[in-house]
Amino acid sequence: MNDDLLHSLHPPRLPEAFAAPGAGDLLAGFGLGLILAALILTLAMPLLRRRPAVPRMRARLAAAAALPEAERSLALARIATATGRPLPEDLRQDLYSRKGADPARLEALIRQRRRRAAP
């Protein structure tokens, strides 16, 4: 083909309906934007979810104090192990007995751990 012939031709023209955006094009763009926003929000939801606050030690001890004695011993043992304080063998054996562990001793063990970790 001859280059001069190609340059002398008029550029192709689009039909009038394709040349200018209409209401349908704007509506389709808006819909695609909504779908894209929903997809991004769906992917970001785990990062944006509010995490529950960890209850303070005083609140956990107060909640345990409101329980009956046997359940209180178990709750205090859970608090002690959650704070990283292993239970002495005699307290562990008392938890499995019918009388249960001494709640006052468990609470003292937890508070002792808190004082040592504070500085």
Side-chain angles (χ1 to χ4, degrees), residues 7-43:
H7 289 293
S8 67
L9 295 174
H10 293 289
R13 293 189 182 177
L14 294 173
E16 188 69 31
F18 291 135
D25 295 329
L26 295 175
L27 189 61
F30 181 71
L32 287 175
L34 286 177
I35 291 172
L36 184 63
L39 178 66
I40 290 172
L41 188 61
T42 301
L43 293 175

Side-chain angles (χ1 to χ4, degrees), residues 82-106:
T83 58
R85 180 71 175 189
L87 294 176
E89 191 61 37
D90 60 334
L91 276 177
R92 187 175 296 149
Q93 292 299 325
D94 287 346
L95 282 172
Y96 290 108
S97 68
R98 287 216 181 256
K99 67 176 182 165
D102 182 23
R105 187 169 169 212
L106 279 169

Side-chain angles (χ1 to χ4, degrees), residues 61-76 78 99-103 106:
L61 291 174
L67 297 172
E69 189 171 341
E71 293 176 23
R72 180 179 179 203
S73 298
L74 289 174
L76 289 172
R78 285 188 197 109
K99 67 176 182 165
D102 182 23
L106 279 169

